[in-house]
Amino acid sequence: MSQKDNKVLKQSGVIPYRVTKGKIEVLLITTRNRQEWVVPKGGISNGMSPPESAAKEAWEEAGVVGQVETEEIGIYKYRKRGNIYQVRMFLLPVENVLEDYPEANQRKRQWLDVPQAIRCVRKSSLKRMLKTLKTKSCRDNPSNI
């Protein structure tokens, strides 16, 4: 096995959320082949920080815009086509939901409460990160989530 095969490719992603009637809702999107529910993520763009790159992915893949929180909520790894990816995850309080965005025709998106979102995603590491949202209080200040 060459060294290239062992390289871990760095990505960043977000869990887009909003607070509606005091409840936290998470936006899930489908993979391009629409086989499973995931959150926006992708390679870290040159010259961008992981949170900035994650915000770009959220716009491209889910059509959502907001200020990504800079505190990392977790890291998970996955394997795809022989590569290993490490994804740094952040929270994105959604300020705008756009109808026109780059991957609108390639993906579906769905707002779900946290327990529903946990049931829909496959990756156990992502389920754990979603569970941390469930324990947060959104009573007075949604930005504290």
Side-chain angles (χ1 to χ4, degrees), residues 2 5-6 9 11 19 21 28 32-33 38-39 44 47 65 69-70 75 89 109 118 132-133 137-139 143:
S2 73
D5 293 331
N6 292 326
L9 301 169
Q11 293 189 322
V19 179
K21 296 179 184 167
L28 295 183
R32 281 203 186 111
N33 61 14
V38 295
V39 294
I44 298 172
V65 180
E69 296 177 9
T70 55
I75 295 176
M89 292 297 297
R109 60 185 181 182
I118 290 168
T132 67
L133 266 180
S137 169
C138 60
R139 223 174 299 142
S143 65

Side-chain angles (χ1 to χ4, degrees), residues 93-105:
V94 174
E95 295 166 16
N96 290 309
V97 179
L98 309 171
E99 293 307 314
D100 185 26
Y101 54 99
E103 297 184 17
N105 295 330

